[in-house]
Amino acid sequence: MADPSVDVVEGCRLPVLRKNQDNEDEWPLAEILSVKDNPGRKLYYVHYIDFNKRLDEWVTPDRLDLKKLQFPKKEAKTPTKNGLSGSRPSSPERDVKRKAESVSLATQVTAATPVPSLPSSAEASQASVFPAIRDTPFIKSRDEHEQLTTNGTPRRLIPSQPGRKRKNCGTDEMVKVFQNNNSRCSTIYLLPGEDSQDSSDGIPTAPRMTGSLVSDRSHDDIVTRMKNIDCIELGRHRLKPWYFSPYPQELTTLPILYLCEFCLKYVKSLKCLQRHLTKCNLRHPPGNEIYRKGTISFFEIDGRKNKAYSQNLCLLAKCFLDHKTLYYDTDPFLFYVMTEYDPKGFHIVGYFSKEKESTEDYNVACILTLPPYQRRGYGKLLIEFSYELSKVEGRTGTPEKPLSDLGLLSYRSYWSQTILEILMDLKSENGERPQITINEISEITSVKKEDVISTLQYLNLINYYKGQYILTLSEEIVDGHERAMQKRHLRIDPKCLHFTPKDWSKRGKW
């Protein structure tokens, strides 16, 4: 039992009992974000350190390990020039360090959920000939290659110093595929080409903070760190929100928030919802249906013409997207809602939004598959559809960064399968070895060149041997790819897409 004499306050840290994925007890370290005085006993809202915020929850005192309680540290205060108390004065060294850390955080795209690496038999069968290189820029010399290994173990390459030139592997290098008739392994050579002026080493640049749910950590206070909606009823599903969403405050105290599954209007009671349904004539999202195959349909919604629906969609999406905060100006965005049809209507499965005009070639601003439909292939279908639109538009695209942990997993999986599908389908012509460039891969798939290169690095295919860049498709990678494609039953059929891109630059204010 918790000791009532111990005063657990906001900011304290201590181990908290929870169940893991195997339904076993564990005591991870957690931070107290809020304390609620309920009649009879207190409740504590905790955030598990190094865990995703969607696992945050209210706990009872008996789940707290008070023996290891850590009280919040008080920051040292020093007088300022005006004689008033304040934080200690900063030093030039601390300012430089803080600036470097902020830049590092701004440019990282990491997953909160650990991402398993794809196994490769190249590390085992060809380790002595082709040293493995993971998540590193392209190497140009043997000296740089030796910097990558310590006792034969690959390590991350230290970034180049300012003023030091490093020759990147250009995007027009010829990729030659040598097929081995006695094995399913393939070796792809990346031949050095002209110096590329663009930064195509797979390192993400600092993300531009725009989107229908624009990322803005300046509002990341104690209120937005806590879930404020207990439950949402959407059609035949009841959803437990993962994160904060700025619904009207008077609705956050309700046990259940009711949403119309067709127009996404929110109401405070089931009776209000039933009364609304007698007036709501929608049985599908507003906008144009631009794709239908079987029971799957996609609707294109203009954020200016259907502002109420778009804002309600963003409110719902914010419940399951942590790295975004709500952005009410939906005019510059298009929303593509995927639905599943049954006799009662078109039920929302997920959506993605994109800017009408993007100077950075973003083809997705926010993307979400609702929890009841996750792990069923719908997320990858949304991603595939976004690239099909890019193909029709005749351009390459990339999602806005940073990606959520689940979004990063989905995109990495899609990029890997799409690129491996291209490489494995290459065939020789006139008896010559098949060849393809990174630019051609990008043009065929509409995946931006930087994403193509970073995916090859993530798959650990890029190696360096005798002054050449090579890619090795091992038998294990080929088998793993074929098994993954057999499970991928949902695919976009371009013949079912009826989409005409618009030139928004000539439409004034859209």
Side-chain angles (χ1 to χ4, degrees), residues 185-344:
C185 298
S186 302
T187 302
I188 305 173
Y189 279 74
L190 298 177
L191 302 181
E194 298 296 329
D195 287 341
S196 176
Q197 299 299 323
D198 53 279
S199 176
S200 55
D201 54 4
I203 301 176
T205 57
R208 181 172 59 87
M209 297 305 181
T210 62
S212 51
L213 296 174
V214 62
S215 178
D216 182 5
R217 306 312 297 184
S218 63
H219 296 90
D220 192 9
D221 53 21
I222 193 64
V223 175
T224 60
R225 290 180 67 186
M226 296 173 53
K227 304 172 191 174
N228 59 334
I229 304 294
D230 289 333
C231 182
I232 292 177
E233 183 169 307
L234 180 68
R236 59 180 178 271
H237 300 292
R238 283 196 174 178
L239 315 177
K240 293 288 289 184
W242 296 349
Y243 309 110
F244 171 88
S245 182
Y247 279 101
Q249 188 171 1
E250 61 269 18
L251 302 179
T252 60
T253 58
L254 301 173
I256 300 176
L257 178 64
Y258 295 89
L259 267 63
C260 171
E261 64 175 324
F262 300 114
C263 72
L264 303 183
K265 178 183 174 67
Y266 48 85
V267 293
K268 62 181 180 180
S269 68
L270 179 60
K271 189 172 184 179
C272 291
L273 177 63
Q274 292 171 344
R275 186 163 58 246
H276 165 78
L277 292 177
T278 61
K279 305 174 185 177
C280 183
N281 297 322
L282 282 179
R283 288 299 175 265
H284 59 76
N288 300 322
E289 184 181 13
I290 61 174
Y291 179 91
R292 180 187 293 187
K293 184 175 183 181
T295 59
I296 301 297
S297 292
F298 280 85
F299 291 83
E300 182 184 56
I301 293 100
D302 189 325
R304 183 183 67 84
K305 295 181 180 178
N306 299 281
K307 188 170 296 188
Y309 180 89
S310 301
Q311 291 180 349
N312 289 338
L313 178 59
C314 291
L315 280 169
L316 173 62
K318 181 61 191 70
C319 291
F320 307 100
L321 293 173
D322 174 42
H323 62 298
K324 304 286 187 179
T325 54
L326 196 61
Y327 189 63
Y328 284 96
D329 183 14
T330 60
D331 289 14
F333 297 96
L334 295 169
F335 298 83
Y336 295 90
V337 179
M338 179 169 64
T339 64
E340 199 172 50
Y341 175 78
D342 67 16
K344 294 183 179 180

Side-chain angles (χ1 to χ4, degrees), residues 20 147 208 258 337 405 415 419 423 495 506:
N20 60 18
Q147 293 176 11
R208 181 172 59 87
Y258 295 89
V337 179
D405 57 343
W415 288 333
I419 293 172
L423 297 179
K495 298 178 182 178
K506 300 179 179 179

Side-chain angles (χ1 to χ4, degrees), residues 138 169 173-175 188-192 438 468-471:
F138 291 103
C169 182
E173 297 82 351
M174 190 61 65
V175 181
I188 305 173
Y189 279 74
L190 298 177
L191 302 181
I438 291 177
Q468 289 181 310
Y469 306 96
I470 67 170
L471 306 179

Side-chain angles (χ1 to χ4, degrees), residues 298 338 352 367-369 373-388 406-407 409-418 484-485 487-492:
F298 280 85
M338 179 169 64
F352 68 87
I367 185 168
L368 172 70
T369 304
Y373 299 95
Q374 291 179 358
R375 304 185 66 84
R376 292 166 57 180
Y378 289 114
K380 204 164 293 180
L381 195 69
L382 279 167
I383 297 174
E384 185 178 4
F385 187 79
S386 70
Y387 281 107
E388 286 297 329
L406 298 180
L409 286 172
S410 297
Y411 266 96
R412 276 181 171 170
S413 178
Y414 173 80
W415 288 333
S416 300
Q417 292 180 8
T418 303
M485 296 306 293
K487 297 178 182 178
R488 190 172 164 185
H489 303 296
L490 294 175
R491 299 296 298 268
I492 294 296

